[in-house]
Amino acid sequence: MANTKVGISMSRKRKPASLSDIAAASGYSIATVSRAISHRGSVSAVAQRTIDALVAEMDYHVTNTRQPAKSTTIAVLIPNLSNPFNSSVLEGIQNAANAHDLNVALLMVKETDTNIEYYLNMLKDANYCGVIALAALPDNQTAYQLNHEIPVVMCSEYLEDTEMSYVGINDDIAAQKATDYLTRIGRRHIALINATTNHKYAREREAGYKQALRRAQLSFEADLVLHINSIRYNLALSKVTDLLRTRTEIDAIFATSDIFAIAALEAARHLGRRVPDELSVVGFDNIFLATVVSPKLTTIKQPAYEIGHEACEILREKIARKNAPERHEVLEASLLVREST
């Protein structure tokens, strides 16, 4: 009997392609590839055929993060619990969820050094049917990839130039309203107390502040702008006190958070600066403390409850209908004039 040699070929298993790999190979955007693979939204016939062929050729597999339809729990991604503004947003989400027999789970997330794997790992062991992101997602590519795996709505803080669903306000216009008001009442040395500009809302509120100064023919002074990396009263109090002590010509403060504005009121009291006679203060958000402090705080009112409620309504629609269109809802913010100006 002749000896027969059986050859066994060993080869390294090819790593499955990612959504971004398919996008790079096809020449289409992550958003288009995501729509084509999930069959959610409009995609041209040519794009669909191209992407389908690459999916088969490149061994792409959908990550099994999307849970069965029977799931009734939505995840709300939140960066921290220190900002009272978020409580009203969460109330709106909760009430809308209750109306549709949905449960709400809060997930504390970090806002820096995140990527798609971070979110997928966080969601993989629980039965969530959708996500509302109060915490800023890092970029559109990560957001599209997450939305491909599970329905996502961005709430309050959202990405620029995105196709994904979001609910929020126009922060630039809102900041212009606040600063315009201060210039109309005769203030000429207006300080800005802002968050750090890694946040979209902080960048846009600062842009609105600058635009209003230009309209009033006032010079922008970088030394009159503070960037505070956390919305915390004690941190803001220390920094605003130092600013008012060294820049005595300041006659108004626009703070991009009511917490910052309340700290400014205390700093002024400590330094003997009378509000509103010598110093006008405007906040942002209209949290419940705005009418508790003395003097009562002039502020920009964000429709926080409505933002949360509408975000949950949009998410419910995306959960219920696979091809539900992405929606962008920009609600109006208004100026409430009280005793601090």
Side-chain angles (χ1 to χ4, degrees):
M1 183 175 178
N3 290 331
T4 302
K5 259 187 194 177
V6 178
I8 301 176
S9 174
M10 302 292 291
S11 62
R12 182 176 295 178
K13 187 176 179 182
R14 183 174 63 177
K15 182 181 177 182
S18 68
L19 199 67
S20 55
D21 292 333
I22 301 295
S26 68
Y28 293 104
S29 69
I30 289 279
T32 299
V33 171
S34 177
R35 289 197 302 270
I37 294 175
S38 63
H39 301 284
R40 300 204 326 246
S42 59
V43 177
S44 72
V46 172
Q48 187 72 57
R49 286 195 299 270
T50 301
I51 293 164
D52 285 345
L54 286 168
V55 165
E57 177 187 337
M58 299 175 67
D59 192 29
Y60 175 82
H61 299 288
V62 176
T63 306
N64 189 28
T65 301
R66 185 182 295 280
Q67 300 296 330
K70 65 181 180 180
S71 171
T72 59
T73 300
I74 62 174
V76 178
L77 310 184
I78 184 168
N80 58 66
L81 296 174
S82 64
N83 187 353
F85 169 76
N86 287 332
S87 64
S88 294
V89 178
L90 292 172
E91 182 184 1
I93 292 172
Q94 183 68 66
N95 285 351
N98 289 343
H100 298 293
D101 296 320
L102 293 170
N103 301 309
V104 177
L106 293 186
L107 300 183
M108 304 296 292
V109 297
K110 61 183 184 179
E111 290 191 290
T112 58
D113 301 322
T114 59
N115 53 30
I116 187 61
E117 287 76 20
Y118 171 81
Y119 295 103
L120 294 181
N121 287 336
M122 177 179 296
L123 299 170
K124 68 180 180 181
D125 294 327
N127 191 22
Y128 301 121
C129 58
V131 170
I132 295 177
L134 269 70
L137 297 171
D139 51 59
N140 273 312
Q141 178 172 321
T142 301
Y144 293 144
Q145 288 178 300
L146 183 60
N147 192 47
H148 176 70
E149 305 294 343
I150 185 169
V152 176
V153 175
M154 290 180 281
C155 181
S156 187
E157 178 78 345
Y158 55 91
L159 295 164
E160 292 112 329
D161 302 320
T162 187
E163 296 180 19
M164 282 178 51
S165 293
Y166 62 77
V167 184
I169 67 168
N170 187 318
D171 288 286
D172 186 318
I173 296 298
Q176 289 187 52
K177 288 181 181 180
T179 314
D180 281 340
Y181 170 71
L182 289 170
T183 63
R184 284 200 307 271
I185 64 173
R187 300 308 189 181
R188 290 295 176 265
H189 302 282
I190 304 170
L192 175 68
I193 314 303
N194 200 5
T196 51
T197 54
N198 57 305
H199 298 285
K200 169 186 162 293
Y201 77 85
R203 294 193 299 273
E204 293 194 349
R205 291 176 195 178
E206 192 158 322
Y209 160 81
K210 291 178 180 178
Q211 174 63 26
L213 291 183
R214 287 193 294 270
R215 189 159 43 240
Q217 298 183 325
L218 298 175
S219 299
F220 168 71
E221 296 182 62
D223 291 347
L224 297 188
V225 177
L226 291 181
H227 294 110
I228 301 176
N229 62 14
S230 181
I231 299 178
R232 297 184 185 279
Y233 172 82
N234 287 336
L235 181 59
L237 177 60
S238 173
K239 291 182 176 294
V240 178
T241 299
D242 288 344
L243 178 66
L244 289 177
R245 183 181 289 117
T246 57
R247 298 298 297 266
T248 57
E249 77 276 19
I250 292 173
D251 57 11
I253 289 176
F254 168 41
T256 64
S257 161
D258 284 344
I259 296 299
F260 293 165
I262 293 167
L265 293 178
E266 176 58 22
R269 188 196 66 78
H270 177 72
L271 296 173
R273 301 287 303 278
R274 292 175 299 154
V275 176
D277 296 342
E278 297 177 301
L279 181 73
S280 295
V281 178
V282 176
F284 205 112
D285 289 337
N286 194 42
I287 63 174
F288 73 97
L289 290 172
T291 57
V292 174
V293 294
S294 181
K296 292 180 174 60
L297 186 63
T298 294
T299 189
I300 293 290
K301 177 187 177 182
Q302 282 206 73
Y305 177 92
E306 291 80 2
I307 287 171
H309 194 280
E310 185 64 14
C312 190
E313 289 290 345
I314 293 173
L315 182 63
R316 183 198 63 83
E317 182 181 350
K318 291 183 68 172
I319 294 168
R321 293 200 300 132
K322 187 175 182 180
N323 294 318
E326 302 289 346
R327 290 170 52 189
H328 299 167
E329 299 288 341
V330 179
L331 307 183
E332 185 175 359
S334 56
L335 177 70
L336 299 179
V337 177
R338 298 193 181 106
E339 298 167 353
S340 67
T341 56

